[in-house]
Amino acid sequence: MGRLADKVAIVTGAGQGLGESVALRFAAEGARVAVVDVNPETAAETVERIREAGGEAILIVADCSEEQDTERMAETTLEQFGRIDILVNNAAVFGKVAPVYEIDTEVWDRIMRVNLRGPFLCSKAVIPQMKRQGAGSIVCVSSVSGVQGNENQADYNTSKHGLIGLTRCIAQDCGLDGIRANAVCPTGMNTPMMANTPAENVAPYAGQTLMSRFAEPSEVANAILFLASDEASYITGAVLMVDAGMTAIQPSGRQMEVGQARFLARAANR
């Protein structure tokens, strides 16, 4: 029996990167998974990988920033699986790299619509069913950018700060209904986008971690699995940093220099 045996999970943004890793991990632990993504092609690939491994999954194409889509997401999951035990609010987009006074209002609104309105709508759609069941777990994927400021990143950072606030309010409002809500805050991850970025451009960020590297998506998925599972039954309103100590310390110049050198050496040997 897996750690999520007999559970039904919805994972948004599950067509690639972290969301794909979470969906695969959940299925391997026995969950039936609703793979939700705005991109039908990548989401279908995730579903196929789960089924090939002997798991059970359905594909739901949805824009999580649209209320009709999130309501359909919940309804379809209930029709197919009969319950909703877990929601992972993972779908997100990055903003424009620019100082706050140069960010277009339309860009700002788009980031808030996807990164903050989306998790609100998805949570709102599934909470009534979780209340009927008397139990549920919601995990929101924030970021180290949700607990600190980053240069030229006000739109993304603000959305991720807000997501932590939303998570804590869900925990507050729904705790007596048996619903837990927690957030994870990863640092950079070894996703395809990261792989296509020159190593020298991201080395300073890797150098701020105590491991001189970025996370594998599976490492972050493991943290999400823990919070989603019954093993975390007494944890709610928590913010779990999955950042190799980045936000726990202020690195010295020596640490930064050594960390960047180690990251670049690894990158050169790949």
Side-chain angles (χ1 to χ4, degrees):
M1 298 290 288
R3 294 160 74 184
L4 299 182
D6 300 322
K7 303 283 190 183
V8 173
I10 296 173
V11 182
T12 70
Q16 60 182 344
L18 176 60
E20 177 188 25
S21 185
V22 170
L24 293 170
R25 188 76 171 92
F26 278 19
E29 291 291 342
R32 292 172 287 170
V33 183
V35 174
V36 180
D37 203 286
V38 72
N39 186 324
E41 288 78 18
T42 57
E45 291 174 5
T46 301
V47 170
E48 184 61 26
R49 290 185 64 186
I50 290 173
R51 291 175 176 171
E52 286 178 351
E56 191 172 350
I58 59 170
L59 166 62
I60 301 176
V61 179
D63 179 345
C64 292
S65 68
E66 295 292 338
E67 189 162 17
Q68 288 184 338
D69 281 17
T70 59
E71 290 173 348
R72 177 172 51 81
M73 172 196 77
E75 291 167 1
T76 302
T77 303
L78 280 173
E79 289 170 2
Q80 293 292 318
F81 296 138
R83 58 186 297 114
I84 300 171
D85 300 288
I86 300 164
L87 167 66
V88 179
N89 283 314
N90 169 71
V93 293
F94 289 102
K96 180 180 180 181
V97 180
V100 62
Y101 51 84
E102 291 183 3
I103 297 174
D104 293 335
T105 302
E106 290 184 2
V107 173
W108 177 276
D109 288 346
R110 175 174 179 265
I111 301 306
M112 298 305 152
R113 190 166 60 248
V114 176
N115 295 4
L116 196 49
R117 173 183 163 93
F120 161 69
L121 290 175
C122 289
S123 300
K124 183 181 177 183
V126 305
I127 285 172
Q129 176 60 29
M130 290 181 173
K131 288 180 67 174
R132 285 190 289 270
Q133 296 166 187
S137 178
I138 297 173
V139 182
C140 295
V141 180
S142 182
S143 167
V144 293
S145 297
V147 299
Q148 62 186 18
N150 296 107
E151 184 181 28
N152 297 334
Q153 206 170 285
D155 46 8
Y156 182 76
N157 280 53
T158 299
S159 71
K160 292 300 186 178
H161 275 73
L163 185 54
I164 290 175
L166 173 64
T167 303
R168 288 172 167 160
C169 288
I170 293 171
Q172 173 83 317
D173 291 348
C174 303
L176 295 181
D177 296 302
I179 300 170
R180 298 182 298 105
N182 295 287
V184 296
C185 291
T187 183
M189 286 176 280
N190 289 322
T191 60
M193 182 177 71
M194 184 71 73
N196 293 327
T197 304
E200 58 271 19
N201 289 1
V202 295
Y205 300 99
Q208 294 178 50
T209 73
L210 298 181
M211 298 179 183
S212 305
R213 67 175 178 87
F214 294 114
E216 296 298 330
S218 60
E219 294 177 301
V220 182
N222 285 339
I224 295 172
L225 169 63
F226 167 67
L227 290 175
S229 75
D230 292 339
E231 294 171 8
S233 58
Y234 198 62
I235 301 175
T236 192
V239 178
L240 177 58
M241 306 307 300
V242 190
D243 65 350
M246 176 184 283
T247 57
I249 54 100
Q250 183 176 14
S252 66
R254 181 195 64 80
Q255 286 176 307
M256 287 286 292
E257 183 177 348
V258 171
Q260 290 183 60
R262 292 174 109 179
F263 175 79
L264 290 170
R266 288 196 191 99
N269 290 328
R270 285 179 186 156

